[in-house]
Amino acid sequence: MRDLGVGFGYLLKGQRWVARHGRSYGFGLLPGLITLVLYAAALVALALWGEDAVSWATPFADDWSSPWQGLFRGFLTAVLFALGLLLAVLTFTAVTLLVGQPFYESLSERADADASPDGTAPRSDLPLWRELWISARDSLRVLVRAGLWGVLLFALGFLPFVGQTVVPVIGFFVTGFFLTEELAAVALQRRGVDLRARLTLLRSRKTLAWGFGTPLGLAFLVPFVAVFLMPGAVAGATLLARDLLGEETAGDGADEPEEENAAP
């Protein structure tokens, strides 16, 4: 259970790192803001027209008497919005990382170099288009896995008592695991670690992934918080990736702010 605290510690260290590196933090906010606007528009549309979509999808309930029709469709509308919100939480990180690939890659390299005893960081020799393709492909694979978990947890949610207590807790831990994978992928992909190997590493230290990703997933439920935490989450996940690979780390990665004259 010690890894739970270690994982949470990396989340805090990442936030401290960006607090000391204001320029990296400022550039790291841009992708999150863009993604937030897109997701907010989608959720507003779902809230406004979700009931119409449910009515269209359930024509067999048109002749049901009151109050059963309203209760049935109201329940489905609430479930639809909840699934949309869950999907937004699960995919926000992947989409933001994809939109901000150059920004977060640069930020991760800086955090990596600060944490390295020799002041260097691994660099990818792949062209940008290739990195974007690998990130998009891997994110889709992770989303499919997360979606399967979502369907299973949704079905278990109908169980009396367990569905309203245990299942939501499991859901947050599942979300935390996949959030950690997405964020750590920035540093691990740069080292040539593929998706299968990343998942194997994280499964070997699930509590580390939960300690980092679960509180982050809970924080992401609060509007706008995800945007402001993303840069620090990338920096923290870089330190976590070094831990997973057994790499030596100098201090907690950047005790002193560096000079940042060049934009990422």
Side-chain angles (χ1 to χ4, degrees), residues 24 63 109 120 196 202 209:
S24 290
D63 298 327
E109 282 188 19
T120 62
R196 186 182 297 274
L202 288 170

Side-chain angles (χ1 to χ4, degrees), residues 2-13:
R2 174 180 173 274
D3 266 352
L4 279 174
V6 174
F8 185 66
Y10 284 133
L11 181 59
L12 296 180
K13 288 177 182 179

Side-chain angles (χ1 to χ4, degrees), residues 225-263:
V225 167
V227 174
F228 295 103
L229 292 185
M230 271 296 292
V234 172
T238 300
L239 300 177
L240 183 144
R242 296 180 64 89
D243 188 343
L244 284 173
L245 296 174
E247 297 178 0
E248 186 179 355
T249 298
D252 64 358
D255 289 327
E256 298 295 335
E258 64 183 49
E259 294 294 328
E260 299 189 44
N261 296 319

Side-chain angles (χ1 to χ4, degrees), residues 52-94:
D52 293 337
V54 168
S55 297
W56 172 82
T58 57
F60 56 85
D62 287 343
D63 298 327
W64 288 13
S65 60
S66 179
W68 305 115
Q69 183 193 80
L71 289 174
F72 176 70
R73 286 178 170 169
F75 171 75
L76 290 183
T77 301
V79 168
L80 179 64
F81 187 81
L83 286 176
L85 186 60
L86 176 61
L87 186 62
V89 172
L90 289 173
T91 62
F92 182 87
T93 300

